[in-house]
Amino acid sequence: MKANLAIHGGEPAVTSPLPPMYPGGMRIGAEEEAAVLDALRGKRLFRYYGPERGASRVEELEAAFAAHVGATHALAVTSGTAALMGALVGLGIGPGDEVIVPAYTWIATASAVFAMGAAPVIADVDESLTLDPESVRRAITPYTRAVIAVHMRGAPCAMDALIALGAEHGLAIIEDTAQACGATYHGRYLGTIGDVGAFSFQFNKIITSGEGGMLTTDDAAIYRRALMYHDVAGGLRNAVPNDEVIPGVNHRMSELHGVVALAQLGRLEGILADMRRRKQTLKDALGEVLQEKGLGYRIIHDPQGDAAIALIFFARSSAQARELAQAISAEGVRATNLYSPDKVDYHVYCHWTPIMGQRAWSANGGPWKQHPREIVYTPDMCPRSLDLLGRTVHLDVSPDLTDEQVVQVADAVTKVVEALA
Ligand SMILES: *Cc1c(COP(=O)(O)O)cnc(C)c1O
């Protein structure tokens, strides 16, 4: 049996290279091209003015995005990180405040909190690889102001429990939806359930303009502060009374990015449908063999709402997870293990060296040294997250996999799991 495995010199199960995992990026086509040319020809590259009259396409994107997800307000910005910063400003979070972030998220979530002068506090994830509400509860202190619920790898957090916890303790809920644009939870779009949502259109995300982001909220006051923050003249431009204007920085989206993001928004539901269908086929094909070997999928709090960008299952040990990932990769399917102690990866808190080392850019030590209580980070402070992440095998689910490739991916995993697990 073992001789069959590609890692032992056998024939790989996958016979043609699989599509790269840039769902929106790989679908850039005639619409994006035409939209960019149109913007260039109109010489209207800045959202607030230009030589020609006509509506701003960034403004059009905001209206379309808000309508699509069902938010009252949407604000386009330069990145997902900028959207998170706008969300924190919108909620009035700054020095002396604490914001709870999950142990598993892109470091940008914690960096945005640091950038506001507030202290990130790290809580465990559960078998969904998203924030564990009970761990959040234990991390609350008198200084906690908000929780950033990160919908990792396309899947919703336990939003009911997090919203209830927020209400119980007077905490705002920010949804970091950078990896889950278009995903839902009990029928509602992620990013519209908490107080404010943050999306990214960076090239790795579900839809993309290369760089870009979006903030969504139903709260007029949050929107107004975020609007002022994202444009140094945002108060003036939006007729905010002079004595209410707060300082801002320039995180405005350019029209060139806006037209691309707008074209991509038109592709979103098609991309999601294609990923969901492929993921379901894979799950149906693999369910039995995984179960036989005692391996389980990660929990998804609302499977129907899953963006379906990834298929993740747990091995019994981290050594087994690494062995399986290597063998599956050798079959021609990129399989990864989401945490190893010796491979620096900014998705796992213990590898966030600038945050873990509390390296502020100011001589006074920044948010950590100026904070009213001592914040302590240790590499083993979230052992549950490290155990779970260490045991994962992660597969991409590209919307562009052919039916034949989906079968080959299932064959590759089956072959390896049967031989090694
Ligand atoms: C990508 C990402 C961000 C940051 O988005 P950028 O557009 O790269 O700034 C934040 N959080 C998560 C979970 C992400 O994956």
Side-chain angles (χ1 to χ4, degrees):
M1 199 64 192
K2 286 194 178 186
N4 274 339
L5 296 183
I7 202 165
H8 298 139
E11 280 296 311
V14 174
T15 55
S16 60
L18 301 183
M21 190 57 191
Y22 303 114
M26 296 308 289
R27 292 195 177 189
I28 290 172
E31 287 85 346
E32 287 82 351
E33 272 180 40
V36 170
L37 264 182
D38 191 53
L40 284 172
R41 286 178 178 149
K43 299 185 171 56
R44 170 72 182 270
L45 302 186
F46 182 56
R47 67 169 298 172
Y48 289 116
Y49 51 75
E52 292 191 6
R53 273 185 232 276
S56 155
R57 303 301 298 278
V58 171
E59 206 177 309
E60 200 181 315
L61 167 69
E62 290 171 342
F65 197 89
H68 194 103
V69 301
T72 312
H73 307 282
L75 180 69
V77 290
T78 46
S79 69
T81 310
L84 286 167
M85 290 164 70
L88 292 160
V89 170
L91 292 164
I93 288 166
D97 296 333
E98 294 176 16
V99 177
I100 298 173
V101 302
Y104 175 52
T105 179
W106 184 235
I107 190 172
T109 314
S111 298
V113 175
F114 161 76
M116 291 298 109
V121 169
I122 303 166
D124 254 317
V125 296
D126 60 21
E127 281 104 5
S128 69
L129 305 182
T130 68
L131 261 183
D132 172 10
E134 282 315 305
S135 179
V136 171
R137 183 187 294 281
R138 289 191 293 274
I140 295 170
T141 75
Y143 305 103
T144 311
R145 295 284 314 281
V147 177
I148 307 186
V150 187
H151 307 297
M152 282 304 275
R153 306 312 298 137
C157 295
M159 288 309 291
D160 285 343
L162 290 171
I163 295 284
L165 192 63
E168 185 186 331
H169 292 271
L171 309 176
I173 306 291
I174 297 171
E175 293 179 76
D176 180 338
T177 317
Q179 298 193 4
C181 185
T184 59
Y185 177 76
H186 301 330
R188 292 175 69 185
Y189 276 92
L190 300 184
T192 67
I193 301 165
D195 296 276
V196 49
F199 297 79
S200 168
F201 303 135
Q202 186 267 341
F203 196 67
N204 215 20
K205 315 300 176 169
I206 296 176
I207 56 172
T208 185
S209 48
E211 296 273 18
M214 189 69 77
L215 176 155
T216 50
T217 185
D218 291 338
D219 184 315
I222 292 174
Y223 173 69
R224 198 165 80 140
R225 281 192 293 270
L227 188 63
M228 289 190 277
Y229 180 67
H230 106 297
D231 175 13
V232 291
L236 199 62
R237 249 194 271 279
N238 292 284
V240 177
N242 229 345
D243 56 358
E244 291 172 33
V245 174
I246 56 166
V249 297
N250 285 337
H251 284 162
R252 296 175 306 242
M253 181 181 277
S254 87
E255 291 283 291
L256 288 174
H257 289 87
V259 294
V260 175
L262 189 56
Q264 289 268 303
L265 182 60
R267 302 189 191 279
L268 176 60
E269 294 301 324
I271 291 170
L272 292 170
D274 288 345
M275 293 190 295
R276 285 168 173 158
R277 184 167 71 76
R278 285 159 179 76
K279 179 166 174 176
Q280 192 57 52
T281 307
L282 285 172
K283 283 189 88 164
D284 292 346
L286 297 173
E288 209 167 301
V289 65
L290 292 180
Q291 202 184 4
E292 242 168 56
K293 300 287 186 173
L295 311 181
Y297 291 121
R298 79 154 157 169
I299 287 172
I300 304 238
H301 292 298
D302 178 2
Q304 278 193 311
D306 179 16
I309 58 174
L311 182 66
I312 302 172
F313 61 89
F314 295 108
R316 285 188 301 275
S317 69
S318 57
Q320 185 185 52
R322 247 163 287 166
E323 190 186 18
L324 292 175
Q326 275 169 16
I328 293 168
S329 294
E331 299 294 335
V333 182
R334 200 174 77 99
T336 53
N337 170 238
L338 294 175
Y339 165 64
S340 23
D342 48 4
K343 199 174 131 250
V344 174
D345 175 352
Y346 274 2
H347 289 95
V348 185
Y349 77 98
C350 62
H351 287 312
W352 299 343
T353 41
I355 300 285
M356 295 300 282
Q358 305 196 353
R359 295 186 198 147
W361 50 59
S362 60
N364 70 10
W368 295 289
K369 294 298 171 301
Q370 299 298 310
H371 196 64
R373 77 172 180 102
E374 192 188 5
I375 303 276
V376 179
Y377 304 131
T378 59
D380 58 358
M381 65 191 285
C382 294
R384 178 121 189 273
S385 301
L386 296 185
D387 171 59
L388 287 165
L389 292 164
R391 289 191 291 110
T392 51
V393 177
H394 174 288
L395 309 174
D396 295 325
V397 182
S398 161
D400 298 322
L401 287 166
T402 64
D403 289 348
E404 190 191 3
Q405 286 173 327
V406 173
V407 171
Q408 290 184 351
V409 169
D411 287 349
V413 178
T414 303
K415 182 178 163 185
V416 168
V417 168
E418 274 179 349
L420 298 181

